[in-house]
Amino acid sequence: MPTRLRAAAARRPTAAVALLYAVLSLLMFSPGLVPGRTLSASDFLYSSTPWESVRPASVPLGGSNPEEADSPSQFLPALQRTRAALPHIPTWDPYMLGGRPYVADPQSQVFSPFSLPSYLLPFWMSLAVAAALKVFVASFGAYLLGRQLGMRIAGALLCGLAFGFSPWVVSWVSWTLGSVWVFAPWVWLTAERCLRAPAASTVAALAAVVGLQFLGGHPSSSFQVLVVLLAFVLVRTLARGELRPGAIRRLGALALGLLGGAALAALMLIPFLELLSHSSDLQSRQSVIDLFHQDPRYLLGTFLRDYWGHGQTSQVFGSVQAEHAYYVGALTLMLGAAALILRPRLERLAVALLAVLALLAATGLTPLYSLLVKLPGFDAANNGRLAVIAILCVAVLAGWGLDELTAQRRAGRAPVLVAGASALLLLLPVAIAARHLDASALGPALRTAFTFATPDRALAGAVGPAAVLRLASILEWLLAAGLALGLILLRSRGRLGGAAFATAAVVLLALDLFRAGVGNNPSIPVANAKQPETPALRYLQTHTPARMVGLSSTAPNAFALPLTPNTAMPNGILDGRGYVQPAEERHSTLWRQAIADDPRCYYFFCLVQAHATPRALRGLGAMGVGELLQRPVDRPLRGLRVLYSGPDARIYANPDALPRASLVDRQAVVPSGAAALAAVTAPDFARRDVAVTEHRLPGLRDASATSSPPRPGTATLERYAPERVEVRTAARAPALLVLTDAAYPGWKATVDGRTATIHRVDYLNRGILVPAGTHSVRFRYEPLSWRVGWIVSLLTLVALLTAALLGRRRSRARAR
């Protein structure tokens, strides 16, 4: 390093470390910053109708990494929609289900700090910038946490590297949960400062970090982050013996910071809590909680990073690599062991215990997991992702371990114990995996391990990809762990100075983690990330605001659902499905019982399964779904009118579809929601002429009455926008206007400018009583939850800025 740079780094070490992390973060995702390329798995959509018929030869089935299908089908559509709408903040989403609140869905990530690059920069380039920003935030936060915990610069630097560049963080950068977990070290850091020096400025800092992680867009991860924070506070309080006078003041400041963070995020949290109260999300999660952990066998991945696959190759084992990306680097594990051997303080032992407990919880090992899921919150969260806490704890231990080994050389048995533990760590995974290895896979395994080759059938040959991957992972481990062990032996024997050892350790770990992280987030040509407009797509677009669904395929080898749910949003199409959570309770029930035709279907995946059974068509018809999209390779449906047929798709008319807006003058009054669902899906129900109501509406006749004249009038959609709908009615007599959109709190209506009451009709739709004659009916979405939320957030922001400013002035005054 040039002398001037060394001197500058010595004067401002924190700034130098931040710059180093920034450079490494950009290097990690640099393939996505190359002009004409993007960090995205959006080529996955070429495996979906209507684009599978025009899939480029260069795009494999499933795209460049099918593990990341959630990104192009859930997160990117929301980013694109928000970007297109700004500076207006969209509050209602008409593009899925029967419509749903938009900002109430945390995964729309409207206010996430990591969405800013996508709002300000060229969209496809911004994805790599956002990914680099997440890794930078994670690594720099872990560095600052290490410094707060007493580490020297080298130890804290390695701590940040081990956490921020771990395969776990790198694998999840395209998900909203990654936007939450990268703030975990910052939450610990600000909480620690708040406990040490409870003041307005430290409380404000804690509140700011807590608010940002809430806005990241994954509430269950936020819950886990904050609960683990409380465990961290308990551990450090007991370990340091701080149960003394003043504890109440410190804990009060901590509670105030947490509440301030929740208030700062109120513009998202309050609408979300409203949606949650109208959903069955918690009950649905609780019913599948036994699936929300990983198999204990994946613990081997702590040592062997590619043993269960990597990127596309994880499909060989039928697993999702990101869910068990436990690898933290061979050197990290050895340094963590050194920290416990050389200075086994209570604080370090507690951190190690927390890591073990997090891994046990993540892998569902009893009895811990059985106890955990009995606790409120954990009974509805994906506890398999608690592994990230173990990764952070091991990174902290590794930072302490590097500090111990770079200090004055120790005499006695300690160096021998450290070397022995490191050697044991090197041999342990090899001994565990040895019985599953196939020596005949050595040649392909060497190419896979050291030349970035993909063990496809052409390379793996008769031994198969699984055998190649397992042996390759052993070879990778032996190289990384062997170099780490050699480094520790050189330091233990005094052959390597402290500064040289620290530098070599950082370089070795960076190379190891870069090798592990490369390939998780594919860089593809922008041309492959954007799908063309096919004739079937144009047909659906020109018939909006008609609502459609893609029918689940009956043909073999269906890799993706037709028009993958949520991708209708950026294409301006109204889809009756939705790959979302939480969903309004009645929509969930309708899909589970009638449309998916499987009451036991798995959680929110029920909302994407649409079949063409008579009952399903009636259920779809109740939502106003009039168009059915089918893969062209599926067997044609009998008895349904074909609206479009081409090489890209077939589109049918749903004979049971309610009009998007219509007038009726009769009602079938039922006693409950369940009865309403049964009525609208009954085969003999006159759904176009009768509205199902759960309380009698004045002026409407009973369903048994005959209609004369034949139709009560007409309703014409004159404007259909996300938060505004205008309908022109021409009624021969008092009638009920039925709009096949979700009846949800926050919608208001007027008839000729006069306030009107919105009634829930046909189980889940909106109904407005209109008098005879021609009238203008307007619906507008103005939810109280959104208004209260942004006001609370704004007031909290002003209070936090004031507290920070006052704290800064007091600090300057004390300094003077």
Side-chain angles (χ1 to χ4, degrees), residues 125-331:
M125 183 191 78
S126 72
L127 303 180
V129 175
L133 183 60
K134 290 183 185 182
V135 169
F136 171 80
V137 168
S139 54
F140 191 50
Y143 164 81
L144 293 176
L145 175 64
R147 295 289 285 162
Q148 186 70 41
L149 295 176
M151 296 180 197
R152 291 190 288 274
I153 291 174
L157 172 60
L158 186 129
C159 173
L161 191 67
F163 177 69
F165 291 85
S166 66
W168 180 276
V169 172
V170 171
S171 296
W172 287 109
V173 291
S174 64
W175 274 265
T176 54
L177 68 92
S179 303
V180 174
W181 282 111
V182 297
F183 282 111
W186 290 89
V187 172
W188 287 17
L189 167 68
T190 52
E192 175 72 12
R193 289 181 175 176
C194 189
L195 290 169
R196 289 189 181 186
S201 57
T202 55
V203 170
L206 175 60
V209 170
V210 170
L212 287 173
Q213 63 84 34
F214 270 127
L215 295 175
H218 203 260
S220 62
S221 292
S222 293
F223 165 78
Q224 291 169 327
V225 165
L226 296 181
V227 169
V228 173
L229 167 67
L230 297 179
F232 169 74
V233 169
L234 179 63
V235 165
R236 56 91 64 196
T237 301
L238 294 176
R240 297 181 179 182
E242 292 183 350
L243 292 176
R244 60 176 187 266
I248 294 179
R249 178 170 175 262
R250 293 195 299 274
L251 294 177
L254 179 71
L256 186 59
L258 297 178
L259 290 175
L264 186 62
L267 76 174
M268 183 274 287
L269 285 179
I270 292 179
F272 165 69
L273 292 174
E274 180 185 53
L275 176 59
L276 193 64
S277 69
H278 288 275
S279 77
S280 55
D281 187 71
L282 294 178
Q283 297 89 329
S284 297
R285 284 172 171 265
Q286 290 166 354
S287 67
V288 294
I289 192 62
D290 288 338
L291 302 177
F292 280 177
H293 63 79
Q294 294 299 302
D295 194 295
R297 63 178 177 157
Y298 292 130
L299 287 172
L300 189 57
T302 307
F303 307 92
L304 309 179
R305 62 177 183 243
D306 292 342
Y307 192 84
W308 303 108
H310 180 88
Q312 271 201 325
T313 59
S314 63
Q315 302 300 310
V316 172
F317 300 95
S319 63
V320 179
Q321 185 263 346
E323 293 283 7
H324 48 80
Y326 301 155
Y327 188 73
V328 289
L331 182 61

Side-chain angles (χ1 to χ4, degrees), residues 646-727:
D648 55 341
R650 279 193 294 269
I651 302 175
Y652 300 89
N654 180 6
D656 294 310
L658 288 175
R660 294 289 283 112
S662 61
L663 293 179
V664 298
D665 59 357
R666 292 184 295 161
Q667 61 182 324
V669 184
V670 296
S672 64
L677 175 59
V680 299
T681 56
D684 57 349
F685 182 67
R687 55 187 51 81
R688 287 178 175 266
D689 301 316
V690 178
V692 176
T693 61
E694 294 167 47
H695 60 275
R696 185 170 298 280
L697 301 182
L700 298 183
R701 296 175 297 164
D702 288 334
S704 58
T706 58
S707 178
S708 179
R711 299 295 304 167
T714 60
T716 306
L717 273 173
E718 294 192 329
R719 180 190 179 193
Y720 193 87
E723 289 99 16
R724 295 286 186 273
V725 179
E726 296 179 8
V727 184

Side-chain angles (χ1 to χ4, degrees), residues 775-795:
H775 302 280
S776 176
V777 181
R778 295 185 177 183
F779 297 85
R780 64 191 187 281
Y781 185 58
E782 297 176 351
L784 179 63
S785 58
W786 163 242
R787 187 162 61 252
V788 171
W790 71 256
I791 291 173
V792 170
S793 292
L794 180 60
L795 294 177

Side-chain angles (χ1 to χ4, degrees), residues 27 36 97 100 205 229 235 251 318 368 397 416 433 504 545 601 634 754 796:
L27 282 175
L97 301 173
R100 64 194 303 269
L229 167 67
V235 165
L251 294 177
L368 177 64
L397 289 171
V416 177
C601 58
D634 284 345
R754 293 187 294 274
T796 304

